[in-house]
Amino acid sequence: YDKVVFMKTILFDLDGTLTESGIGITRSAAYALDQLGIPHPAPEELSVFVGPPLRKTFPEFGVKEEDVDQAIQIFRSRYTTIGKFENQPYEGIEQMLKDLKENGFHLFVATSKPENIAKEILEHFHLSQYFEEIAGASLDASRENKSAVIAYLLKKQDVKDAIMIGDTDFDVLGAKEHAIPCIGVNWGYGNKQSMIKAGAVTVVDTVEQLEEYLKKNA
């Protein structure tokens, strides 16, 4: 992307971008691995579970292919009851969303978290009011990675000239498949160098820097 010009349409990732959700996700991943009798590091060392589809991450910790569906089921049994609210918005996020909306930006969420849970979380933290659509993964694996969620959102909303904001290279690469530039945020669970290598147009360190960049370049 030589020069990034986008209309006032922004797709936000959820985990690690809008909310600090790691505790609930990593504890639920540890719980699933425990139930399957698989040794694992402490929950705080399982942050790789935040962001990518569970179907991709569980095998990296020794879950056999035939047991992945069971692992996801066990994970969800804890996450949907307890883990989803072991979570909080990053400081300054709500004010930024309010400012952007008041400045005529069109805000959307594109997350690989199941859509129903993403909606519950954003409603719980009173953030859903800022978004025109909250798009997430389907529960049946037909739509689970970032690219598939973005495709679904673009088709449903007829979105053009958008920019993606996320905290991992999955966000950058998923957006790139649809020729959408991506801004990386450096407060989540990803790696700055990985995001740059994947093609992020810039990586910002604070919510204030993000808002400034968006207002300047839209």
Side-chain angles (χ1 to χ4, degrees):
Y1 306 102
D2 297 331
K3 174 145 181 30
V4 180
V5 177
F6 56 96
M7 302 302 282
K8 291 185 160 185
T9 302
I10 308 172
L11 316 183
F12 284 94
D13 171 50
L14 176 54
D15 294 332
T17 301
L18 297 174
T19 69
E20 192 173 359
S21 53
I23 292 173
I25 293 170
T26 56
R27 285 180 183 169
S28 300
Y31 174 73
L33 293 168
D34 286 340
Q35 296 297 304
L36 293 171
I38 296 173
H40 60 82
E44 51 271 23
E45 292 175 50
L46 295 175
S47 65
V48 68
F49 276 94
V50 185
L54 294 170
R55 198 170 298 282
K56 177 193 175 298
T57 314
F58 272 122
E60 293 173 15
F61 287 84
V63 177
K64 292 180 186 149
E65 202 52 53
E66 61 268 26
D67 296 331
V68 168
D69 283 335
Q70 191 188 354
I72 292 172
Q73 210 175 351
I74 298 167
F75 172 96
R76 285 185 180 153
S77 72
R78 184 192 184 279
Y79 188 76
T80 56
T81 50
I82 303 166
K84 64 187 176 188
F85 297 134
E86 292 172 319
N87 191 355
Q88 62 182 9
Y90 288 102
E91 197 176 332
I93 284 291
E94 181 165 12
Q95 188 58 51
M96 179 194 68
L97 294 173
K98 189 169 181 288
D99 291 347
L100 291 172
K101 191 161 184 179
E102 284 171 359
N103 277 274
F105 283 82
H106 299 282
L107 310 180
F108 298 87
V109 170
T111 174
S112 48
K113 179 184 285 305
E115 189 172 293
N116 60 328
I117 295 175
K119 286 178 175 174
E120 279 180 32
I121 289 165
L122 289 162
E123 277 163 22
H124 178 76
F125 292 119
H126 311 294
L127 297 179
S128 56
Q129 59 185 308
Y130 301 108
F131 298 103
E132 294 177 33
E133 178 90 31
I134 296 162
S138 56
L139 288 171
D140 66 358
S142 64
R143 185 178 75 243
E144 64 177 358
N145 65 26
K146 187 56 57 105
S147 177
V149 171
I150 292 172
Y152 161 74
L153 178 60
L154 296 181
K155 189 176 175 187
K156 196 172 175 190
Q157 285 285 340
D158 194 26
V159 169
K160 290 183 180 68
D161 300 318
I163 193 158
M164 179 81 210
I165 295 166
D167 68 312
T168 71
D169 50 356
F170 292 101
D171 299 303
V172 183
L173 296 168
K176 193 186 264 186
E177 284 187 38
H178 302 280
I180 293 173
C182 183
I183 300 171
V185 302
N186 202 27
W187 56 76
Y189 301 97
N191 175 280
K192 185 174 184 174
Q193 293 313 316
S194 297
M195 288 188 276
I196 291 167
K197 193 176 168 190
V201 293
T202 188
V203 177
V204 295
D205 294 316
T206 67
V207 174
E208 292 72 29
Q209 280 178 12
L210 174 59
E211 185 172 348
E212 192 183 324
Y213 184 93
L214 290 168
K215 286 179 174 175
K216 197 169 106 183
N217 290 281

